[in-house]
Amino acid sequence: MHYKINTYGCQMNVHESERIAHSLEKLGYTETKEDNFDIIVFNTCCIRDTAEQKILGHIGKLKKIKRANPKLIIAIVGCMSSQKGKAEELRSKYPYIDIILGANNLEDLENAILNLQNNHKKTFLTPDDDKPQVIEDVEYTRTSMPNAWVNIMYGCNNFCTYCIVPYVRGRERSRKPESIIAECTELINQGYKEITLLGQNVNSYGNDFEDKRIDFAGLLERLAQIPGDHRIRFMTSHPKDLNEKVIDIIAKYDTLCKNIHLPIQSGSNNILTAMNRHYTRDKYLEIVKKIREKMPLCGITTDIMVGFPGESERDFEDTLDIVKQVKFSGAFTYIYSPRKGTPASLMEQIPYEIKSQRIQKLIKTQNQITKELSKNYEGKIYRVLVEDAKDDGKLCGRTDCGRLVTFSGDKAFIGSFKNVLITKSQSASLFGEITEEK
Ligand code: 5AD
Ligand code: SF4
């Protein structure tokens, strides 16, 4: 019996698919990359309409396959199915779906499959069935050695006016620090070299503990002190919550990567207010200054959105201006997509052509910056974690500050740290060679 998981969306979803894989393997399924699957699970995303349309297109294509093989199990799980009314909509549009679960009831997958196999009973859970408690000791089938993801918290309390995440993932819940430390220690002992801590807003880690026994800086410090040759990253940070204490801890420990993902979303104060982001462009610039004072080489990456309702040409110019000032080492750029049930979807929308022009301009501006920054790497040596081999046999890995480097070497180096001299750069790509020098 074979399974296939189609994962859409963020790293949180990629990690949760490792949990789904474990559930399926417990039931006796093995993974297949081909079309010979007996169960297919869609781990879905709904952050933008494009994500949803892509998923719905794929589900639509399964109709014929299910007709030819009625025993095939089709399960739709994750954020898209957590939207209010979505389970009902999916059932009526695609009656051949067998299982629907939201992002907060993935633990029900095994039972849902057994119920189908033993009692021919389909399972459709709606957001009302959500069990948003924090489950510790979740088991995963990890496939990303030497990298591992560790969830430190679930959900989000911020309600940025464009964002659907708080509606589908619920309120912030932090995992117990002891469980996180134990999980990271075990991963390091197993040979994992890089751990990425995941949360929608990691800087508010621990805010939900009544006794306030630990905050994100405290957690980071405890994790940084775990002995071993490894490094730790985290995402995502919110500019309103990233404080100096966290910056100081990152600067203090070599095991903490000098790399911060700090979504700015917009460079206009009017738009930031309308987005409910709780910071101004000056506050953002101040944080960047503090980071760079303490860690001049820290990579700062960001998310930026264009075409939020009411965004004027002037507002957009403010975004371009801050992008030029900060010089992000990388930026994920998005066109605002109205999400049903969020306040911004009810505001007056901007025509698509304007959004499209703005994103092209933004991408061009950032690409130019990335290209210039890449040049600075040439001739310097960086410690790189060798992560993978490409189809052409070349190795690739990341620097501490998060830049991807391609170089020649033995595949046996995967999972170890190597010093790499950067010999060439091409826009966002860096090329180099392994060196003994430091
Ligand atoms: N439309 C476009 N982009 C969005 N994001 C979140 N919601 C939307 C939306 N409705 C972007 C934000 C966030 C990233 C994960 O996705 O930039 O930081
Ligand atoms: Fe969405 Fe804002 Fe929460 Fe990020 S902080 S998940 S953008 S609501």
Side-chain angles (χ1 to χ4, degrees):
M1 293 209 300
H2 291 105
Y3 74 84
K4 190 172 198 169
I5 303 173
N6 284 357
T7 307
Y8 305 83
C10 61
Q11 298 207 357
M12 184 84 81
N13 269 16
V14 175
H15 181 40
E16 280 172 352
S17 285
E18 296 182 327
R19 175 180 180 184
I20 295 168
H22 186 83
S23 301
L24 298 174
E25 289 178 11
K26 247 170 94 185
L27 294 176
Y29 291 93
T30 49
E31 194 189 9
T32 179
K33 302 269 185 219
E34 313 297 320
D35 287 340
N36 61 336
F37 45 84
D38 304 282
I39 178 165
I40 181 160
V41 182
F42 287 78
N43 189 10
T44 62
C45 170
C46 58
I47 196 124
R48 283 169 287 275
D49 192 51
T50 40
E52 271 199 61
Q53 292 313 322
K54 197 160 116 194
I55 298 163
L56 296 177
H58 288 176
I59 300 173
K61 281 195 194 133
L62 286 175
K63 187 176 180 177
K64 265 194 191 155
I65 304 172
K66 176 85 171 181
R67 201 182 288 149
N69 173 18
K71 280 200 173 144
L72 170 69
I73 300 176
I74 301 175
I76 317 295
V77 307
C79 290
M80 187 180 86
S81 29
S82 289
Q83 292 171 92
K84 232 180 168 40
K86 202 68 181 187
E88 293 81 355
E89 186 189 321
L90 287 170
R91 282 177 71 179
S92 69
K93 257 196 188 152
Y94 311 98
Y96 47 91
I97 294 175
D98 301 293
I99 295 166
I100 299 179
L101 304 176
N104 288 335
N105 37 42
L106 289 182
E107 70 273 16
D108 289 315
L109 183 62
E110 280 171 59
N111 270 339
I113 296 170
L114 290 172
N115 239 332
L116 193 66
Q117 289 170 335
N118 301 335
N119 313 321
H120 304 286
K121 234 184 118 204
K122 296 187 169 200
T123 301
F124 302 112
L125 296 184
T126 66
D128 299 331
D129 303 302
D130 264 13
K131 287 177 249 156
Q133 77 271 32
V134 174
I135 302 175
E136 303 287 0
D137 304 321
V138 174
E139 291 181 281
Y140 299 94
T141 297
R142 297 180 188 268
T143 53
S144 56
M145 186 74 134
N147 308 81
W149 287 286
V150 171
N151 238 322
I152 63 165
M153 59 194 298
Y154 300 90
C156 181
N157 286 354
N158 289 314
F159 289 94
C160 301
T161 53
Y162 50 80
C163 187
I164 195 143
V165 170
Y167 302 89
V168 294
R169 287 201 173 258
R171 296 298 72 71
E172 279 173 6
R173 290 96 69 197
S174 303
R175 282 185 62 199
K176 288 197 200 93
E178 310 82 57
S179 309
I180 299 170
I181 295 162
E183 185 176 341
C184 292
T185 308
E186 198 187 327
L187 289 166
I188 291 161
N189 291 340
Q190 286 170 3
Y192 285 92
K193 296 290 177 195
E194 183 175 289
I195 293 175
T196 304
L197 309 175
L198 295 177
Q200 252 76 38
N201 176 15
V202 290
N203 303 105
S204 56
Y205 172 79
N207 280 357
D208 54 325
F209 294 143
E210 264 168 35
D211 57 0
K212 299 277 179 255
R213 61 189 182 277
I214 193 164
D215 59 5
F216 184 57
L219 178 73
L220 265 187
E221 179 146 44
R222 302 266 310 265
L223 295 174
Q225 289 168 340
I226 299 174
D229 184 25
H230 62 272
R231 61 192 192 186
I232 293 169
R233 296 185 189 283
F234 57 86
M235 64 189 306
T236 291
S237 293
H238 194 307
K240 80 174 166 55
D241 297 316
L242 179 71
N243 56 31
E244 255 184 291
K245 206 169 146 199
V246 170
I247 298 172
D248 287 341
I249 296 287
I250 303 170
K252 184 170 163 193
Y253 291 95
D254 283 344
T255 36
L256 300 179
C257 288
K258 307 296 174 268
N259 185 6
I260 302 179
H261 185 60
L262 195 63
I264 184 167
Q265 312 299 359
S266 167
S268 150
N269 285 338
N270 293 336
I271 298 298
L272 288 171
T273 304
M275 286 176 165
N276 193 31
R277 291 288 289 178
H278 296 280
Y279 55 86
T280 59
R281 58 182 276 133
D282 284 348
K283 164 93 194 294
Y284 190 95
L285 288 170
E286 202 181 294
I287 303 170
V288 169
K289 194 165 155 235
K290 277 189 188 142
I291 296 172
R292 292 196 169 142
E293 266 167 18
K294 304 226 161 111
M295 300 174 280
L297 297 179
C298 187
I300 303 177
T301 53
T302 201
D303 295 343
I304 312 169
M305 208 184 294
V306 299
F308 183 84
E311 184 188 66
S312 66
E313 209 48 44
R314 174 86 199 273
D315 294 318
F316 175 63
E317 289 296 328
D318 282 348
T319 297
L320 287 181
D321 177 72
I322 207 160
V323 163
K324 288 179 198 156
Q325 277 194 57
V326 176
K327 294 195 194 317
F328 294 105
S329 46
F332 297 99
T333 53
Y334 305 106
I335 287 182
Y336 165 72
S337 166
R339 304 284 65 211
K340 209 169 144 201
T342 61
S345 69
L346 303 173
M347 301 174 188
E348 200 177 320
Q349 303 295 316
I350 301 234
Y352 185 79
E353 302 77 69
I354 295 184
K355 292 184 186 176
S356 169
Q357 281 164 15
R358 286 184 186 163
I359 194 140
Q360 284 169 38
K361 224 169 165 180
L362 176 63
I363 292 172
K364 213 168 141 199
T365 305
Q366 177 58 37
N367 282 350
Q368 187 57 35
I369 293 166
T370 312
K371 199 169 150 189
E372 283 163 23
L373 291 177
S374 294
K375 282 258 167 283
N376 296 337
Y377 284 76
E378 292 179 7
K380 297 191 183 112
I381 295 170
Y382 292 86
R383 190 165 183 257
V384 170
L385 173 61
V386 189
E387 293 174 33
D388 211 351
K390 295 183 169 177
D391 292 341
D392 62 3
K394 287 253 171 32
L395 301 177
C396 59
R398 279 177 200 279
T399 64
D400 175 84
C401 62
R403 291 296 304 262
L404 194 65
V405 188
T406 304
F407 46 96
S408 299
D410 195 324
K411 271 192 184 168
F413 294 161
I414 294 174
S416 57
F417 290 98
K418 293 282 171 203
N419 289 334
V420 177
L421 168 71
I422 307 301
T423 49
K424 199 175 88 177
S425 72
Q426 226 169 48
S427 15
S429 312
L430 300 179
F431 303 89
E433 52 199 46
I434 295 178
T435 170
E436 292 303 315
E437 284 175 64
K438 284 191 178 169

